[in-house]
Amino acid sequence: MTFVESIKTCLLQKCFSIQGRASRSEYWWFALFCYIANFIFNFIPYLGILLSVALMVPTFTVAIRRCHDLGRSGWLLLGPTLFILVGAVIMGIGIAASSSGMMYFGMFLMIIGAIGGIALSIYFIFPGTQGTNKYGEGPYVFTEQNATVQA
């Protein structure tokens, strides 16, 4: 899958779909698009925030489909996400209450979530399961009709 095909698939065709599987190329090309778009639009006030919020759903759905390609449930994403969200809330409460203990505990939870996110990113590098698994047919099934020979 190419860069443009990945963006079309993730934003237009499967934006809200958690069914099926996403190949490594689909996931990583879309992740690159998100990083580049956020980098560019964060220089424009409020537009970067709007873009980040708009890309949340397609980012989570492609990550869930990537988990499916690896033979795992999309619930695997819940752990790091919850640690980061709960940590952010606790940290915010700690800042509002001027409690350094709560603030540091929230930061600690967010760091644990970030480490989990890094571990998932490393896990997403590995190839998916060959053939069909319980989440569907593999995204990279080759037949004689779609195979090309380059000389």
Side-chain angles (χ1 to χ4, degrees):
M1 180 171 287
T2 67
F3 182 73
V4 175
E5 287 173 343
S6 172
I7 295 168
K8 285 180 184 176
T9 300
C10 293
L11 290 180
L12 302 175
Q13 298 168 355
K14 296 182 178 181
C15 181
F16 298 104
S17 174
I18 59 171
Q19 303 297 320
R21 297 163 58 173
S23 65
R24 282 188 290 182
S25 60
E26 178 183 348
Y27 176 80
W28 287 111
W29 281 127
F30 187 69
L32 179 65
F33 165 75
C34 290
Y35 293 135
I36 291 170
N38 278 314
F39 179 79
I40 292 169
F41 286 103
N42 276 329
F43 291 112
I44 304 168
Y46 303 108
L47 198 55
I49 295 169
L50 289 174
L51 178 72
S52 295
V53 170
L55 290 175
M56 266 190 206
V57 171
T59 300
F60 272 107
T61 57
V62 73
I64 289 169
R65 291 194 313 272
R66 182 73 193 123
C67 286
H68 290 174
D69 189 43
L70 293 162
R72 303 282 183 227
S73 171
W75 289 104
L76 191 63
L77 300 171
L78 188 62
T81 304
L82 277 181
F83 270 97
I84 290 171
L85 291 177
V86 170
V89 168
I90 291 174
M91 191 171 104
I93 293 170
I95 290 170
S98 297
S99 170
S100 61
M102 280 185 75
M103 185 182 74
Y104 289 131
F105 181 65
M107 287 173 63
F108 174 72
L109 291 178
M110 290 176 69
I111 290 170
I112 290 174
I115 292 169
I118 291 168
L120 274 175
S121 294
I122 293 169
Y123 185 56
F124 286 171
I125 294 171
F126 293 101
T129 55
Q130 296 284 329
T132 303
N133 67 12
K134 66 182 179 179
Y135 299 103
E137 193 172 300
Y140 18 68
V141 175
F142 294 102
T143 63
E144 280 188 40
Q145 294 166 340
N146 68 3
T148 58
V149 178
Q150 296 179 355

